[in-house]
Amino acid sequence: MKRGLIAATGVAAMLVSVAACGSSDSDKETDAGGSRGKTLTVWFMDGSNPAGWTDAVKTEFEQKTGAKLDIQIQKWDGIQQKLTTALSESTPPDVIEIGNTQTPSYAETGGLAELDDLKKEIGGDWTESLNKPSVFEGKQYAAPWWAANRVVVYNKKIWADAGITDVPRTRAEFFKDLEAIQSKGEAEPLYLPGQNWYFFDGLTIGAGADLVKKDGKKYVSNLGDPKVAKAMEVYKQYQSFSKAPKDKDEATPQQADVFAKGKTGAFIGMGWEADTAVKANPEIKKDIGYFTVPGESADKPEGVFLGGSNLAVAEGSKKKDLAKEFLKIALSDKNEGALAKEVGSIPNKDALLAHVKGNAVAEAAAPAAKSGGTTPLIPEWANVENAPNPIKAYMTAVLNGKSPEEAAKQVEADMNKRLSQKQ
C-alpha cells in the first residue's frame, strides 16, 4: 500500500447543539483493555460535534474505559496540510473526522486503519448507501457517522396561488406544478442555475449512471454514456423553468438570497439554505416548506448526492483498540439517534430514521437517503472537482444547445487528464 499521505477536507458541518444524554448504570467504568490513565485524541472539524452530544459521548467513554478523551477542534482553513503532516508523524490523532467522499484518498495512502472487525461487530445494519464511502478496495477504512442531502425548498404561498394543493410525488407531477406556476406568470417557478452540479450528480445516480469508467488500470470519463445523457436531459427540463444563468452555479449568486425575495416558487438545496433565506428576509419563514425530490415513480425518490462525515482511526495510532471503543460509543444507536433528533442529520441506520420525526427538512431528506450515492469513490476524483470543473462546462454546453454527446467530447480530454493525475 502506498504510504504518501493525502488529506482532504470534510463536508459542511452541523452548527447546532445537542441536548446532553444521561448515563445509565451500564456506563460504569470498566477500564476496558487496560485503558485507565490513557488519553485518546479525537479530531473533529469546527462545528461538526454539537456540544450536548459531545458531552454525553465523552462522559460515557470516560466512565466505560477509565481513559480520558481529548477532543481537539480543527479549523477548515489549512486542514489538508495539517492532517497530512499529522498522519505522517509518530503520534497522530487517534480518531479523525473525514468527509465521506474523501475517505478513499486517505485509505489509499495508508493513513487509515482497517476496521473490518468493527464493521462485523456494530455495522451489520449500517445503511449501505451511507457505508459505501467508508469502503476502499473491499476493506472497511472508516465508519459512517452522519449524512445530509438536498431537498426541494418551496414557497407555499406561491404554490397555493397557482392552485397547487399538495406536494408532488413523481417527477411528472413536479413538472406539472412548475408549469402551473409558470402559467400564473407572477413568479419564477424554479431557481436552478446551469451548474448546480451536485443536483446533476443526484440525477445520474437516479439514472444508474457512472461518471467514470475503468479503462485498463486507469479511470476515464464516462460522460458519453447514454444514461448520463438521460440524466442531463432531465436536468435540462428542470432548468427550462428557471431564469437563472446557465454558466453559473448555485453560489453565484447564492440561491437562498434569490429565494428570499419571495418571487421564486422553489429551489433544490440543503436545508440550511432555507435558514439563510430567512436571515435575509424573516417574513418568508412562514411560507417555506420542504419535500423530497420526487423520482420517476412515486415509490422511489430521485437520486441524491449524500454528503456527510465518516469517523476513522489513524493507522499510526498506538491506541487502536481504545479508538474502536470510542467509535462503538459514538456510533451507538443511542448516540446516533440523539444526533439525528437534535440536528436533523441522517443517521447511519435506517432503523434510526424515526429520530428525525418533527424536523421538516430531515423528514424531506430521509426518504431519498437509502437510494442516494456520492461522486466516484476514487482518490483521483478530487482533481476533477478542482476549478474549472469540466462537469460544469459539460452542463452549460448542453443547456446552450449542444447534444450531450457533443458536450461530453468537448470536455473529455480535460477530464481524462485530471483523472490521470495523482494528488
Side-chain angles (χ1 to χ4, degrees):
M1 179 175 289
K2 299 176 183 178
R3 303 300 303 175
L5 294 171
I6 300 173
T9 58
V11 184
M14 303 294 179
L15 299 175
V16 290
S17 296
V18 176
C21 301
S23 58
S24 64
D25 291 339
S26 63
D27 294 333
K28 293 177 181 178
E29 184 176 316
T30 63
D31 189 26
S35 303
R36 187 177 288 110
K38 293 183 179 180
T39 299
L40 190 78
T41 301
V42 177
W43 278 17
F44 285 127
M45 298 309 301
D46 188 20
S48 289
N49 59 311
W53 178 90
T54 302
D55 289 344
V57 169
K58 186 175 188 292
T59 298
E60 185 176 348
F61 173 80
E62 293 184 345
Q63 287 182 347
K64 282 190 172 182
T65 67
K68 296 296 182 182
L69 192 63
D70 178 19
I71 293 177
Q72 299 179 8
I73 306 302
Q74 307 301 315
K75 299 294 184 182
W76 293 103
D77 187 28
I79 187 60
Q80 181 170 340
Q81 184 58 49
K82 185 173 184 179
L83 192 49
T84 298
T85 301
L87 291 176
S88 65
E89 294 177 341
S90 59
T91 55
D94 301 293
V95 176
I96 54 176
E97 174 190 351
I98 313 174
N100 60 348
T101 62
Q102 299 298 340
T103 302
S105 294
Y106 290 96
E108 185 199 42
T109 56
L112 307 182
E114 293 182 17
L115 298 177
D116 289 340
D117 55 344
L118 185 76
K119 169 66 165 63
K120 291 177 182 178
E121 186 173 352
I122 68 169
D125 54 349
W126 284 341
T127 303
E128 184 178 357
S129 59
L130 270 68
N131 185 57
K132 188 175 180 181
S134 296
V135 178
F136 180 67
E137 295 184 344
K139 294 184 180 296
Q140 192 84 26
Y141 282 101
W145 186 21
W146 61 267
N149 54 267
R150 284 162 177 76
V151 299
V152 180
V153 183
Y154 75 107
N155 186 312
K156 292 185 287 187
K157 183 178 185 303
I158 289 176
W159 282 54
D161 289 347
I164 305 169
T165 59
D166 198 6
V167 298
R169 305 298 178 186
T170 67
R171 187 190 301 150
E173 290 178 2
F174 193 7
F175 287 151
K176 184 178 179 180
D177 290 341
L178 295 175
E179 288 171 355
I181 296 171
Q182 191 173 58
S183 64
K184 186 78 174 177
E186 297 176 0
E188 180 179 17
L190 177 71
Y191 185 81
L192 180 66
Q195 296 183 347
N196 188 336
W197 108 264
Y198 280 112
F199 174 50
F200 170 62
D201 183 61
L203 295 177
T204 66
I205 292 167
D210 294 313
L211 296 175
V212 299
K213 61 184 178 181
K214 204 73 178 289
D215 181 15
K217 294 183 179 181
K218 62 182 180 180
Y219 287 94
V220 297
S221 169
N222 194 41
L223 291 184
D225 189 322
K227 291 181 180 179
V228 176
K230 178 183 177 181
M232 189 60 221
E233 290 294 355
V234 173
Y235 189 99
K236 186 176 182 179
Q237 191 170 358
Y238 272 114
Q239 215 276 327
S240 69
F241 291 101
S242 179
K243 299 175 183 177
K246 295 179 173 61
D247 61 349
K248 297 291 188 296
D249 63 21
E250 66 274 21
T252 316
Q254 289 289 342
Q255 60 184 6
D257 290 335
V258 176
F259 183 78
K261 297 175 182 178
K263 298 180 180 180
T264 302
F267 72 92
I268 298 167
M270 305 299 290
W272 57 263
E273 293 182 87
D275 294 334
T276 301
V278 171
K279 288 180 181 178
N281 177 16
E283 289 297 316
I284 203 172
K285 183 176 182 179
K286 66 182 186 303
D287 297 324
I288 295 179
Y290 312 88
F291 60 85
T292 308
V293 183
E296 201 165 4
S297 60
D299 61 339
K300 186 177 181 181
E302 185 56 82
V304 291
F305 170 78
L306 293 173
S309 283
N310 296 334
L311 296 178
V313 176
E315 174 61 26
S317 170
K318 305 299 190 297
K319 292 164 279 192
K320 290 189 179 70
D321 288 342
L322 188 58
K324 291 175 185 177
E325 287 299 319
F326 171 78
L327 292 184
K328 291 175 189 178
I329 292 169
L331 301 172
S332 69
D333 287 359
K334 178 182 71 173
N335 290 319
E336 274 286 297
L339 185 69
K341 183 176 182 179
E342 296 299 329
V343 306
S345 58
I346 304 300
N348 61 17
K349 296 181 180 181
D350 291 345
L352 300 176
L353 287 174
H355 289 279
V356 305
K357 187 175 182 180
N359 184 308
V361 176
E363 285 186 334
K370 188 173 182 178
S371 56
T374 66
T375 50
L377 294 170
I378 57 175
E380 298 85 355
W381 183 255
N383 297 322
V384 177
E385 292 195 41
N386 288 336
N389 185 337
I391 307 287
K392 292 183 175 182
Y394 161 83
M395 296 170 68
T396 295
V398 173
L399 295 175
N400 281 334
K402 287 187 179 294
S403 70
E405 295 76 17
E406 290 174 320
K409 290 179 181 178
Q410 179 178 309
V411 303
E412 188 175 72
D414 181 25
M415 191 164 166
N416 289 344
K417 180 180 178 181
R418 291 164 181 249
L419 287 168
S420 69
Q421 296 170 344
K422 294 296 182 181
Q423 296 187 65

